[in-house]
């Protein structure tokens, strides 16, 4: 090799380390032009790595050497002569052993990995593995450190080439995991095992068993790095652990109890660095999410909660974005509540909350209240009957002597309002005054405004008695409060408008005057947030006061929204998109002129690259995991030791701050989520005016379906199906006829749109790992099938049926657990979120039955056992209710074709009519009535028993919960169906007094249809039986005909009822007049 060539290259590299920008640029240009396209640079760089006296040059040469070896898939390397390649392969490993500087050693090790990627698959480097094994067992600790690091970097690049050597490597790693002198050797060994784990096949039981045997030692090394305060090493090892947790092979399954105990110990040890404790707790959160079947089967939740509660009492940082052990602990409690059956979580947590809340230490009381708040999302159904025990804690917390406890209670109230709406609304007399008092206290003002916001959202008509007080107080705060408080106050005013509707009108103009100057804020951070929340609130005002009142503000507000799109803030773009959707809903086709300005930014948002997409590859698993856990995986290696030609850190996945990148990306992803959602809203609102944009929007939504963020997938799914439904509405179509071979043909363009949209949605489902997205897909498909009919199913019936079957069998991709045997039944006791998915699959089955009608008969044989298994006393309320409700809707769809299945269905409904819960009873009454109505089997012999089962449902008081009142209405509908089907089998003298006392229906107005059918039938066939009840019936008739309330009966019933009134008027005109019904008589 020409020494002058090597020396010139060396000098140019040295020049690039200069602080003189002109020199650096000149050297860079010459290197790129004269050296880096020439294969001769590779041996020259290797020589410089070996001989340069300058550490910075050796380091830079190693970085550039690796790049040249990798260049053009190894093309430059293969142009180097065989002799020189062999020489480098022989010298580099020895050179690294002799290199004194760690950074250079690491960069040179990556050169070996790059060369190995090319040479080992070609069987051209047989000496590498023996050398590494020898080095890893060297008596010199420095050699072992270098050997295992080279082996780790090589494995990262080319595990496949070493798979035949795995038994020997496992044996080697067994020793290195307990290296007596070097924590670095032990840490790098765990990292190497983390790489190998990703290539183990679940069918290879021997490799799995060998790896599992090493796990206790691996966990020990993680503990050692935490104890030593080695943050870099600990981050690397927790990243390995997170990788093991998300792998779809059961590596960790048998060690989950020990692992959770270890992570709790690390996370709870206050002598460890806070950052390291957070890493341990984040890993525990992942364990709960990804190994929930093992956490559940070992009933680990109580012991985990016991370990977490002391951590919840620790201080919280002021900045909401800063992490801390206390926040991590609360995140895990939330994870336990949402991933596990509430029976395993809430009883244990409730006992801890009571214990901690009675403590004299305010930090214990604060921790108890926060734990209560975060568990509500996953335990709301289970908690409902226990709320009488929860409210005393909330009420005491709101007046606690410590401000931090009061603030925490406000947070808990916000959570309760979101998930237990009826219970919280019923407590308004306590909650509203208490929260208003806390708004007066600067220490609790912001938290109290947030709680008030959540409470107002659910108050509905009850807000009337508080509206003036609330608006006066909040208007005052808009003048005096600091910026962050003004933001939550503005949000609360929006919720007040939402709850009060047209009653907000007196406050509309003054509030708009107060808020208008917030729309000109342009600073970052708090100003951006206040401007965005103001847009949201004003959107809510428009829905409250209506388009006529809001119209004068409409053009100016659209200008502000467009400005928000152009200010470079993802948050403001998100708020503008939400505002566009609200304006479209409020103004309908009047919004159409803005579409040419609105749709392009929505599409641009959907198309925008997220940070890193154009610079490096980030796996879907890594990106999605950062969203799922609330904390991203730690930097994989974080060496930061490779500098490129321009003096910049080389962009590799391990060197990128994923935490920071994901913060930026999460803001962009939420913006995309809103953009995708808004597209469907705009089409539904503006109808034919949106048609020019349908194709471009459909293609963009389809492109979003594989996105790593589940919120985007869900919005894209919802909007795609909304586009299909709206396009169908606008097409020339006739009412569809049910049947697998329905004569109802779809418009060709509708059929084409369906084929474009449905195929990628079905593809998405196959790999969908998020239950809420799968549930949303089921609900969207059900709604679309109900609207479009059997034409939607053409060519896709089997695939759509399969979605429902898989979910009901709990074998969908999003329900799979690698630690559960294939033939093992999923546990009956499941998380409340799992029940939501099951319920959505039931809605899909019901829609299929509706579209197929009698042709659903064969499918019924498949679905009946899958659905009926969810009606057991051991199942949750949600499961039981959904199962009976689904079967009722199937009967409504199949009609007479249900007849062969009458016996098993009736037996199931009898059991359901004995249920303890009103929601189940309501569905059971509805289902029973439909079965009697549509089955061709004569059930007259069952009437006495059926009426006896329905009788208790009529015993209600006006103060009873809505579910109980609803059950009464459904029982009335069921009795009506019995009367119409076979009046002679009904003991009218006993039944009519109870039946008519239940009128008018005030909850489930749909049941007015069978009720009035029965009344009309009786008036026609047995008028004498109803004559004694005229005085009670006329007020019920007046109620349903009242023009000042929403229509409850529909045009057909209204017409027939008015005809009946005319007949009654002929015999009892005074009574008709007294009931106020004369105005409805023909000719009145």
């Amino acid at each position: 090799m020409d020494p002058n060539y090597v020396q010139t290259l060396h000098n140019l590299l040295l020049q690039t380390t200069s602080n003189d920008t002109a020199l650096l640029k000149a050297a860079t240009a010459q290197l790129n032009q004269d050296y880096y396209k020439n294969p001769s640079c590779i041996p020259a760089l290797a020589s410089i790595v070996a001989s340069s006296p300058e550490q910075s040059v050796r380091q830079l040469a190693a970085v550039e050497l690796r790049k040249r070896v990798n260049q053009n898939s190894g093309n430059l390397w293969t142009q180097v002569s065989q002799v020189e390649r062999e020489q480098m392969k022989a010298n580099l490993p020895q050179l690294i052993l002799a290199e004194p500087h760690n950074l250079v050693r690491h960069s040179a090790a990556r050169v070996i990995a790059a060369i190995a990627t090319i040479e080992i698959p070609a069987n051209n480097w047989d000496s590498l593995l023996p050398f590494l094994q020898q080095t890893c067992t060297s008596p010199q600790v420095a050699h072992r450190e270098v050997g295992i690091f080279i082996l780790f970097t090589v494995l990262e690049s080319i595990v496949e080439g070493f798979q035949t050597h795995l038994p020997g490597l496992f044996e080697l790693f067994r020793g290195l995991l307990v290296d007596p002198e070097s924590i670095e050797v032990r840490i790098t060994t765990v990292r190497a095992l983390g790489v190998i784990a990703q290539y183990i096949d679940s069918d290879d039981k021997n490799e799995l068993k060998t790896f599992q045997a090493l796990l206790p030692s691996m966990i020990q090394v993680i503990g050692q790095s935490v104890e030593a305060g080695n943050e870099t090493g600990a981050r690397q090892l927790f990243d390995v652990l997170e990788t093991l947790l998300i792998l779809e092979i059961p590596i960790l399954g048998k060690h989950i109890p020990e692992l959770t105990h270890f992570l709790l110990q690390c996370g709870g040890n206050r002598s460890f660095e806070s950052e390291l404790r957070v890493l341990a707790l984040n890993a525990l959160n992942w364990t709960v999410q990804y190994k929930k079947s093992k956490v559940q089967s070992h009933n680990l939740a109580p012991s985990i909660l016991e370990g977490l509660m002391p951590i919840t009492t620790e201080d919280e940082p002021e900045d909401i974005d800063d992490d801390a052990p206390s926040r991590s602990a609360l995140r895990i409690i939330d994870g336990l509540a949402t991933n596990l059956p509430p029976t395993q979580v809430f009883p244990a947590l409730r006992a801890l909350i009571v214990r901690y809340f009675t403590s004299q230490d305010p930090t214990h009381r604060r921790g108890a209240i926060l734990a209560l708040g975060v568990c509500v999302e996953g335990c709301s159904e289970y908690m409902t009957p226990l709320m009488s025990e929860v409210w005393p804690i909330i009420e005491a917390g709101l007046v606690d002597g410590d401000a931090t406890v009061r603030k925490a209670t406000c947070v808990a109230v916000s959570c309760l309002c979101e998930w237990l709406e009826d219970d919280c609304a019923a407590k308004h007399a306590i909650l509203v005054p208490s929260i208003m008092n806390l708004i007066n206290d600067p220490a609790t003002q912001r938290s109290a405004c947030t709680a008030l916001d959540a409470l107002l959202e659910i108050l509905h008509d009850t807000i009337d008695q508080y509206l003036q007080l609330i608006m006066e107080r909040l208007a005052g705060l808009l003048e005096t409060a600091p910026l962050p408080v003004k933001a939550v106050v503005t949000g609360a005013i929006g919720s007040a408008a939402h709850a009060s509707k047209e009653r907000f009108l007196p406050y509309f103009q003054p509030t708009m005057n107060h808020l208008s100057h917030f729309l000109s804020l342009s600073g970052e951070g708090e100003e951006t947030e206040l401007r965005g929340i103001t847009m949201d609130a004003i959107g809510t005002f428009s829905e409250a006061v209506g388009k006529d009142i809001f119209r004068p503000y409409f053009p100016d507000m659209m200008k502000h929204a467009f400005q928000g799109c152009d200010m470079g803030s993802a948050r403001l773009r998100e708020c503008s998109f939400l505002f566009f959707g609200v304006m479209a809903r409020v103004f309908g086709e009047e919004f159409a002129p803005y579409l040419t300005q609105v749709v392009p930014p929505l599409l641009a948002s959907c198309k925008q690259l997220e940070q890193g997409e154009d610079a490096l590859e980030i796996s879907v698993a890594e990106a999605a995991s950062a969203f799922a856990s609330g904390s991203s995986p730690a930097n994989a290696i974080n060496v930061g030791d490779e500098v490129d030609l321009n003096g910049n850190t080389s962009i590799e996945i391990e060197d990128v701050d994923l935490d920071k990148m994901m913060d930026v990306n999460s803001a962009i992803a939420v913006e995309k989520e809103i953009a995708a959602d808004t597209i469907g809203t705009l089409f539904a609102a503006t109808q034919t005016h949106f048609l020019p944009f349908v194709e471009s929007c459909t293609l963009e939504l389809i492109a979003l379906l594989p996105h790593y963020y589940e919120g985007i997938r869900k919005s894209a799914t919802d909007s795609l199906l909304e586009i299909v439904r709206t396009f169908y509405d606008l097409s020339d179509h006739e009412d569809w006829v049910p049947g697998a071979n329905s004569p109802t043909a779809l418009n060709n363009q509708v059929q084409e749109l369906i084929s474009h949209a449905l195929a990628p949605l079905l593809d998405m489902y196959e790999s969908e790992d998020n239950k809420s997205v799968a549930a949303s897909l089921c609900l969207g498909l059900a709604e679309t099938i109900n609207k479009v009919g059997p034409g939607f199913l053409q060519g896709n019936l089997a695939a759509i049926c399969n979605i429902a079957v898989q979910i009901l069998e709990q074998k969908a991709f999003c329900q799979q657990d690698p630690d559960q045997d294939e033939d093992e039944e999923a546990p009956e006791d499941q998380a409340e979120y799992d029940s939501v998915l099951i319920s959505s699959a039931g809605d899909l089955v019901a829609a299929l039955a509706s579209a197929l009608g009698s042709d659903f008969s064969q499918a019924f044989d498949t679905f009946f056992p899958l659905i009926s298994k969810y009606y057991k006393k051991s199942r949750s309320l949600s499961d039981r209710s959904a199962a009976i409700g689904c079967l009722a809707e199937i009967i409504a769809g199949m009609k007479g074709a249900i007849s062969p299945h009458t016996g098993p269905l009736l037996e199931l409904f009898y059991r359901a009519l004995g249920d303890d819960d009103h929601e189940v009873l309501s569905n059971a009454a509805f289902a029973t009535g439909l079965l009697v109505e549509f089955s061709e089997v004569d059930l007259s012999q069952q009437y006495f028993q059926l009426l006896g089962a329905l009788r208790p449902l009529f015993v209600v008081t006006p103060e009873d919960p809505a579910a109980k009142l609803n059950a009464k209405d459904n029982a009335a509908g069921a009795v009506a169906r019995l009367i119409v089907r076979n009046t002679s089998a009904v003991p009218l003298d006993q039944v009519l007094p109870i039946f008519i006392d239940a009128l008018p229906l005030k909850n489930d107005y749909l049941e007015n249809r069978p009720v009035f059918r029965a009344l009309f039938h009786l008036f026609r066939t047995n008028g004498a039986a109803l004559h004694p009840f005229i005085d009670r019936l006329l007020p019920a008739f007046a109620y349903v005909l009242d023009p000042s309330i929403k229509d409850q009966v529909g045009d057909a019933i209204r017409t027939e009822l008015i005809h009946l009134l005319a007949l009654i008027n002929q015999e009892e005109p005074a009574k008709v007049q007294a009931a106020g019904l004369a105005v409805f008589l023909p000719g009145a």
Side-chain angles (χ1 to χ4, degrees):
M1 182 182 295
D2 181 357
N4 291 330
Y5 178 89
V6 175
Q7 188 58 48
T8 308
L9 177 57
H10 181 279
N11 292 343
L12 285 168
L13 288 171
L14 184 60
Q15 194 174 320
T16 63
T17 65
S18 165
N19 291 326
D20 187 322
T21 306
L23 281 175
L24 189 149
K25 284 186 175 178
T28 300
Q30 193 176 347
L31 285 166
N32 283 328
Q33 187 173 335
D34 299 340
Y35 286 86
Y36 288 160
K37 295 172 185 173
N38 186 335
S40 300
C41 76
I42 289 181
L45 286 166
S47 172
I48 292 169
V49 172
S51 60
S52 173
E54 299 285 341
Q55 182 205 332
S56 61
V57 174
R58 296 199 306 279
Q59 161 75 11
L60 190 53
V63 172
E64 295 300 338
L65 177 55
R66 177 184 59 78
K67 290 180 179 178
R68 300 320 127 205
V69 171
N70 282 332
Q71 195 168 313
N72 295 330
S73 303
N75 187 42
L76 207 62
W77 166 259
T78 54
Q79 293 178 45
V80 176
S81 72
Q82 180 73 29
V83 172
E84 286 179 306
R85 294 208 308 265
E86 292 302 324
Q87 191 175 2
M88 280 186 279
K89 281 153 56 178
N91 292 344
L92 268 171
Q94 298 298 333
L95 177 156
I96 295 173
L97 290 179
E99 170 58 53
H101 290 281
N102 200 36
L103 293 179
V104 182
R105 283 204 303 269
H106 281 189
S107 295
R110 295 189 181 283
V111 176
I112 290 180
I115 296 170
T117 305
I118 303 164
E119 297 286 305
I120 285 179
N123 294 316
N124 286 339
W125 203 354
D126 293 339
S127 61
L128 179 60
L129 188 57
F131 164 77
L132 292 176
Q133 287 178 315
Q134 180 184 342
T135 311
C136 286
T137 53
S138 162
Q140 293 186 46
V141 66
H143 286 196
R144 295 198 301 278
E145 289 174 350
V146 171
I148 186 59
F149 189 81
I150 296 173
L151 183 51
F152 162 62
T153 55
V154 169
L155 285 171
E156 272 196 310
S157 304
I158 189 162
V159 163
E160 286 93 338
F162 286 91
Q163 281 184 311
T164 55
H165 302 284
L166 277 184
L169 287 174
F170 280 138
E171 197 54 44
L172 173 66
F173 292 157
R174 188 191 312 280
L176 294 177
L177 282 171
V178 291
D179 188 285
E181 294 179 85
S182 172
I183 183 75
E184 188 179 327
V185 169
R186 300 195 292 273
I187 287 171
T188 312
T189 303
V190 174
R191 295 171 71 194
L193 280 163
V195 175
I196 286 176
Q198 297 173 58
Y199 294 88
I200 295 177
D201 195 289
S202 56
D203 295 329
D204 196 325
K205 303 300 182 191
N206 286 334
E207 285 181 6
L208 265 177
K209 192 173 180 183
T210 307
F211 194 102
Q212 287 168 338
L214 298 175
L215 279 168
S217 298
M218 293 171 70
I219 292 170
Q220 277 189 336
V221 175
I222 301 175
Q224 291 159 6
S225 69
V226 174
E227 285 176 26
N230 184 336
E231 185 174 344
T232 301
R235 283 188 180 278
Q236 294 162 352
L237 297 186
F238 280 118
D239 188 58
V240 171
L241 183 55
E242 288 173 355
T243 300
L244 297 182
L245 284 165
I246 63 175
L247 287 176
E248 291 175 16
I249 51 172
I251 281 183
L252 284 170
K254 294 178 180 174
H255 296 275
I256 293 302
E258 299 92 322
L259 179 62
T260 56
H261 178 71
F262 161 73
L263 294 172
L264 262 179
Q265 280 193 315
C266 282
N269 191 330
R270 298 192 188 194
S271 65
F272 292 161
E273 289 291 326
S274 178
E275 290 80 3
L276 297 180
R277 294 175 61 202
V278 167
L279 288 174
L281 291 168
N282 285 346
L284 179 55
N285 194 24
W286 277 62
T287 306
V288 170
Q289 286 188 55
Y290 285 96
K291 299 295 169 188
K292 70 170 195 174
S293 69
K294 292 299 177 190
V295 174
Q296 181 174 341
S297 63
H298 289 286
N299 195 24
L300 297 176
S303 60
I304 293 174
L305 290 166
E306 188 80 48
L308 291 174
M309 280 305 290
I311 307 173
T312 67
T313 68
E314 296 180 34
D315 290 341
E316 278 199 327
E318 282 296 317
D319 192 328
I320 196 164
D321 295 323
D322 289 348
D323 218 338
S326 56
R327 284 186 176 157
S328 298
L330 290 166
R331 195 153 51 229
I332 299 166
I333 294 173
D334 180 22
L336 288 166
T338 51
N339 285 285
L340 296 180
T343 50
Q344 288 199 359
V345 178
F346 193 70
L349 184 59
R350 181 177 57 179
L352 288 164
I353 288 169
V354 169
R355 190 168 94 212
Y356 274 67
F357 192 72
T358 53
S359 166
Q360 293 299 306
D361 186 340
T363 65
H364 284 226
R365 300 198 298 277
R366 188 198 75 221
I369 286 282
L370 290 174
L372 174 62
V374 297
C375 82
V376 179
E377 179 182 357
C379 298
S380 56
E381 181 186 299
Y382 185 87
M383 286 173 66
T384 301
L386 304 170
M387 285 305 292
S388 60
E389 300 171 32
V390 171
W391 284 120
I393 295 174
I394 294 293
E395 291 169 27
L398 288 169
V399 294
D400 194 278
D402 186 272
T404 64
V405 179
R406 298 196 299 275
K407 284 169 71 174
T409 311
C410 288
V411 173
V413 168
S414 300
C415 298
L416 287 164
C417 287
E418 183 175 358
W419 298 102
L420 290 164
E421 185 174 320
D422 292 342
D423 290 88
C424 292
K427 283 283 180 180
H428 63 87
I430 291 167
L431 292 177
V432 174
S434 299
I435 292 170
M436 293 305 290
N437 284 338
L438 296 180
I439 286 174
N440 294 329
D441 180 354
T444 53
Q445 199 166 66
R446 188 175 179 183
S447 302
C449 285
T450 305
L452 183 65
D453 187 352
L455 182 58
L456 293 177
E457 191 82 21
I458 62 169
L459 276 190
H460 306 300
D461 291 344
T462 315
I463 197 173
D464 288 357
Q465 56 191 287
Y466 304 111
L467 188 58
Q468 184 177 351
L469 166 72
I470 288 169
M471 289 304 300
E472 286 174 1
R473 185 70 193 102
L474 294 182
L477 287 175
L478 285 179
E479 298 290 340
T480 60
L483 223 55
V485 177
K486 282 181 180 175
V488 290
V489 167
T490 303
I493 292 173
S495 294
H498 169 78
S500 58
K501 300 289 188 291
E502 67 282 353
R503 297 182 297 282
F504 185 73
L505 199 52
Y507 308 98
F508 171 59
Q509 177 73 55
T511 307
M512 287 295 289
N513 295 340
H514 272 303
L515 297 184
S516 58
H517 63 282
F518 295 161
L519 295 172
S520 58
L521 295 172
S522 57
E524 294 184 1
E526 291 175 349
E527 287 198 7
T528 294
E529 187 63 20
L530 177 52
R531 178 176 176 143
I533 286 176
T534 301
M535 288 294 298
D536 293 343
I538 291 174
T540 308
F541 298 168
S542 72
E543 292 183 295
V545 301
K547 65 181 179 182
D548 293 332
I549 301 291
F550 193 78
R551 189 174 283 109
Y553 297 90
F554 182 27
D556 278 347
M557 285 306 305
M558 287 298 292
K559 284 179 190 171
H560 285 300
F562 287 126
Q563 286 169 6
C565 290
D566 296 333
M567 290 175 67
S569 161
R571 173 74 173 119
L572 287 182
R573 287 194 298 272
E574 170 199 331
C575 293
S576 292
F577 298 163
L578 284 167
F579 187 77
F580 295 150
V582 173
M583 290 299 101
R585 282 200 304 272
V586 171
F587 285 95
E589 297 192 40
E590 283 185 57
F591 186 83
Y594 289 103
L595 287 174
T596 53
Q597 288 175 271
V598 165
V599 176
L602 291 173
L603 292 176
S605 173
C606 292
K607 290 176 194 288
Q608 69 182 320
L609 287 174
E610 283 150 66
Q611 188 175 335
E613 284 182 356
D614 52 351
L616 71 157
E617 292 271 329
I618 293 185
S619 75
V620 170
E622 284 162 323
S625 66
F627 266 97
S629 65
S631 60
S632 68
N635 294 351
I637 295 169
N638 198 29
V639 284
D641 57 2
E642 300 201 356
V643 179
D644 68 12
L645 196 56
N646 302 310
N648 298 318
T649 303
S650 175
I651 297 182
E652 300 259 338
I653 182 64
E654 64 267 21
D655 301 328
V656 172
D657 184 347
L658 277 179
D659 286 323
K660 186 175 181 182
M661 195 188 80
M662 292 308 298
D663 282 344
V664 175
N665 283 358
S666 62
I668 294 173
V670 171
E671 176 201 327
K672 283 187 179 185
E673 176 186 3
I674 301 300
D677 194 57
T678 302
I679 287 170
T681 303
L682 293 182
F683 190 15
T686 59
Q687 299 284 294
T688 55
H689 304 281
F690 194 85
L691 288 173
F693 307 100
V694 166
E695 183 176 354
S696 57
C697 287
T698 299
L699 292 173
E700 204 49 56
L701 291 169
I702 288 170
L704 290 176
L705 291 176
H707 199 278
Y708 62 78
Y709 174 43
E710 68 272 10
I712 289 177
R713 299 197 301 277
K714 183 175 182 295
S715 282
T717 298
D718 291 345
S719 274
L720 262 179
L721 291 169
E722 181 70 75
I723 285 175
V724 170
R725 293 191 295 271
T726 307
F727 200 76
Y728 170 78
D729 276 337
L730 296 175
S731 71
D732 183 20
H733 66 270
E734 56 192 48
D735 291 343
W736 53 265
V737 176
N741 301 301
S742 171
T744 318
L746 287 180
N747 172 296
N748 286 339
Q749 287 179 301
V750 174
Q751 194 68 64
E752 190 179 346
L753 177 61
I754 289 170
S755 64
H756 279 303
L758 191 51
L761 283 168
L762 296 175
D763 285 345
M764 179 194 75
Y765 166 76
E766 291 301 323
S767 57
E768 183 52 65
D769 61 359
N770 184 276
K771 288 172 184 168
S772 71
V773 178
S776 197
L777 174 64
C778 288
L779 293 173
L781 288 173
E783 188 178 350
T784 311
I785 292 166
N786 283 327
K787 179 175 281 290
V788 179
F792 184 80
L793 302 171
Q794 283 178 16
N796 294 293
L797 176 59
I800 293 173
C801 280
N802 188 52
I803 291 175
V805 169
Q806 281 190 351
I807 292 172
L808 292 169
E809 288 180 339
Q810 292 174 273
K811 291 183 178 173
F813 187 74
C814 59
Q815 296 166 301
Q816 287 175 7
D817 188 330
D819 293 303
Q820 196 170 300
D821 296 333
E822 275 189 35
D823 54 354
E824 189 181 341
E825 277 287 313
E828 287 186 5
D829 201 7
Q830 57 184 359
E832 289 184 6
Y833 268 123
D834 294 324
S835 295
V836 172
L837 178 58
I838 298 299
S839 175
S840 69
D843 287 343
L844 179 54
V845 177
L848 290 167
S850 177
L852 296 175
S854 59
D855 291 331
F856 190 75
S857 297
Q858 188 175 348
F860 185 86
D861 292 330
T862 299
F863 283 112
F864 179 57
L866 293 178
I867 296 165
S868 59
K869 75 177 183 182
Y870 287 95
Y871 186 79
K872 290 180 184 172
K873 286 293 169 73
S874 56
R875 291 281 186 180
S876 68
L877 159 62
S878 177
D879 283 349
R880 301 196 315 276
S881 177
I884 303 301
C886 174
L887 290 170
E889 297 296 343
I890 290 173
I891 295 168
M894 290 178 67
K895 299 187 167 54
I898 199 67
S899 303
H901 310 284
T902 302
L905 284 167
L906 188 61
E907 186 274 326
L908 179 61
F909 297 159
Y910 270 134
R911 283 196 284 133
L913 284 168
D915 202 278
D916 295 330
D917 192 90
H918 304 303
E919 191 178 315
V920 179
L921 291 171
S922 187
N923 284 349
F926 180 56
T928 302
L930 288 174
L931 186 63
V932 170
E933 179 178 355
F934 289 119
S935 174
E936 291 160 10
V937 177
D938 183 6
L939 293 174
S940 303
Q941 296 300 313
Q942 301 288 331
Y943 272 28
F944 188 76
Q945 190 176 348
L946 282 173
L947 290 165
L950 292 167
R951 175 67 182 88
L953 277 59
F954 287 89
V955 183
V956 296
T957 65
E959 296 76 34
D960 279 331
K964 189 171 183 181
L965 297 172
N966 210 57
K968 184 265 292 180
D969 286 2
N970 277 278
V975 170
R977 289 179 166 98
L978 266 68
I979 290 170
V980 172
R981 183 65 196 274
N982 189 349
T983 313
S984 62
V986 178
L988 292 177
D989 58 327
Q990 298 173 53
V991 168
L992 285 180
I994 298 163
F995 176 64
I996 291 168
D997 263 353
L999 306 181
L1001 305 187
K1002 293 188 176 179
N1003 287 270
D1004 191 342
Y1005 296 137
L1006 286 176
E1007 290 304 276
N1008 272 321
R1009 289 179 295 185
V1011 163
F1012 277 91
R1013 267 205 319 271
L1015 291 173
F1016 297 153
H1017 170 76
L1018 286 172
F1019 269 112
R1020 281 195 303 269
T1021 61
N1022 192 358
L1026 285 178
H1027 194 268
F1029 302 102
I1030 289 293
D1031 290 344
R1032 280 193 263 172
L1033 283 170
L1034 291 175
F1037 295 166
Y1039 182 84
V1040 300
L1041 290 174
D1042 185 348
S1044 68
I1045 60 176
K1046 189 177 175 183
D1047 180 33
Q1048 300 172 16
V1049 291
D1051 292 341
I1053 291 176
R1054 177 180 296 272
T1055 302
E1056 193 166 352
L1057 180 54
I1058 289 170
H1059 175 69
L1060 174 62
L1061 281 175
L1063 296 176
I1064 296 173
N1065 189 57
Q1066 291 174 10
E1067 296 185 19
E1068 302 277 6
K1071 290 184 177 180
V1072 171
Q1073 182 79 32
L1077 289 164
V1079 293
F1080 299 107
L1081 295 173

